[in-house]
Amino acid sequence: MLPVIRVAPLTTDHRSRVEEIVRTTGVFSEDEIAVALEVFDAGVGCGVRGVVGEEDSTSATPYAPDPTPALPDYVVLGAFDANDQVVGYAVYGSTPCTSGTFDLYWIATDPAMHNAGVGTTLLNEVERRLEGHFARMLVVETSSRSDYAPTRGFYGRRGYTETARVREFYAPGDDRIIFTKRFRRGA
């Protein structure tokens, strides 16, 4: 039986646990860990870049912004176990200069909780929230390295389609793989 997982926003108090989770996955480099923490900090209020939909008189945007509720650039959610311990987290946000497109920037779970439904619970909650913001599409990018095969399988089993591949993007022999999932846009 899978554990009960509660999803809720994270705060600055959860930073060290997020770092621990990212480190213990064993797939992220020091540079990637630094970026994960930078995005986390921005998402929990330690350096937010702005709010999606803010008026910007210097912008020459050639489209009308969506009439949907504004989201912060980064939304950070945590998965909590029955003991209120963070066992995973996800960061998503609106893709700049698009209409209804969002990026899943990070999703990671404690390796001790792999295959316990934590990632699925987080991804389902991100999707549920995005449908409330009239999302058209969620974009995820990942690596072609063999240690990312479980990650690619995870997205495939949840209805994501590989829509692009940039050969040797990250390093020689390490492609950037872009997955997308389209949503029926609400009225």
Side-chain angles (χ1 to χ4, degrees):
M1 181 173 185
L2 294 178
V4 175
I5 301 297
R6 175 180 65 84
V7 177
L10 293 178
T11 68
T12 56
D13 294 340
H14 299 111
R15 188 181 197 275
S16 63
R17 180 63 180 140
V18 165
E19 180 176 2
E20 180 182 352
I21 289 169
V22 174
R23 284 188 183 285
T24 59
T25 64
V27 297
F28 300 117
S29 69
E30 285 300 315
D31 287 343
E32 290 168 319
I33 292 167
V35 170
L37 293 173
E38 180 181 319
V39 170
F40 173 84
D41 290 342
V44 296
C46 300
V48 174
R49 291 187 334 228
V51 176
V52 175
E54 268 185 21
E55 292 297 321
D56 180 356
S57 60
T58 64
S59 175
T61 307
Y63 63 88
D66 270 346
T68 57
L71 286 174
D73 286 344
Y74 301 117
V75 178
V76 184
L77 297 175
F80 296 83
D81 67 11
N83 298 317
D84 216 30
Q85 173 78 17
V86 176
V87 293
Y89 87 109
V91 181
Y92 68 95
S94 178
T95 307
C97 301
T98 68
S99 177
T101 301
F102 292 79
D103 284 296
L104 180 65
Y105 294 108
W106 289 92
I107 187 167
T109 62
D110 184 326
M113 297 294 289
H114 283 183
N115 299 312
V118 175
T120 299
T121 299
L122 280 165
L123 190 58
N124 288 344
E125 180 62 14
V126 168
E127 291 175 4
R128 185 191 70 74
R129 288 171 180 235
L130 290 179
E131 287 172 350
H133 285 276
F134 304 99
R136 290 182 310 106
M137 180 185 341
L138 182 58
V139 178
V140 180
E141 61 182 64
T142 192
S143 170
S144 68
R145 290 184 351 219
S146 61
D147 53 345
Y148 278 84
T151 301
R152 294 189 302 274
F154 170 83
Y155 291 119
R157 289 187 302 276
R158 283 150 189 84
Y160 287 76
T161 304
E162 181 179 327
T163 54
R165 182 181 288 248
V166 181
R167 302 271 178 220
E168 301 192 335
F169 178 83
Y170 296 111
D174 188 4
D175 303 346
R176 173 197 230 177
I177 300 175
I178 300 169
F179 287 91
T180 59
K181 185 171 188 178
R182 296 183 182 271
F183 303 100
R184 280 199 276 199
R185 192 169 170 110

